[in-house]
Amino acid sequence: MSLINEYRATEEAIKELQERLKNLSQDDKLKKELEFEGKLRTLMGEYQKSLRDIIALLDPEAKSAKGARAAKPAATKRARKVKQYKNPHSGEVIETKGGNHKTLKEWKAKWGADVVEGWATLLG
């Protein structure tokens, strides 16, 4: 995009955002919410209370629910099973838990992944 196109697009975006801001500033609901927020913050300052104090006062269960959620043990990954691959061409045997084995990768590149997976037996 050329610099002049970027400039014009930015200018247009600014105009749209200014129009949205103008419409929002005339909204009665927004005015009431801003008034409420201002009064609440003044009251909080007057009584030296934080937002956490207000939440604890209005919803005492919120803290215990959050603590209970954090107390759950993290799910552990399922252990991979050992596979044994026997190459019918060379008779070579490989045992691995994953597909990141050097020789296994070479076999898959040479004979194809589907063929090599056919050579696998699950050991447990």
Side-chain angles (χ1 to χ4, degrees), residues 40 44 49-66:
L40 180 62
M44 287 168 55
K49 295 292 181 182
S50 69
L51 190 54
R52 283 191 179 145
D53 296 332
I54 302 300
I55 291 171
L57 180 68
L58 296 176
D59 189 8
E61 301 295 320
K63 195 173 212 178
S64 64
K66 186 176 180 182

Side-chain angles (χ1 to χ4, degrees), residues 15-81:
K15 286 179 185 176
E16 288 175 14
L17 288 172
Q18 285 175 334
E19 185 65 31
R20 283 181 54 199
L21 183 62
K22 181 182 169 190
N23 289 339
L24 279 174
S25 66
Q26 295 171 351
D27 188 5
D28 289 336
K29 279 185 173 180
L30 176 66
K31 288 178 183 177
K32 285 188 175 195
E33 283 188 31
L34 289 172
E35 181 184 356
F36 174 75
E37 181 188 23
K39 288 181 179 179
L40 180 62
R41 290 197 183 276
T42 302
L43 196 59
M44 287 168 55
E46 184 179 324
Y47 288 94
Q48 295 155 0
K49 295 292 181 182
S50 69
L51 190 54
R52 283 191 179 145
D53 296 332
I54 302 300
I55 291 171
L57 180 68
L58 296 176
D59 189 8
E61 301 295 320
K63 195 173 212 178
S64 64
K66 186 176 180 182
R69 219 176 323 150
K72 288 183 183 176
T76 57
K77 287 187 175 181
R78 178 179 51 89
R80 293 185 184 175
K81 302 197 183 225

Side-chain angles (χ1 to χ4, degrees), residues 101-113:
H101 193 278
K102 181 182 175 184
T103 308
L104 187 60
K105 283 183 177 181
E106 291 171 2
W107 290 355
K108 286 182 179 182
K110 188 172 182 180
W111 288 289

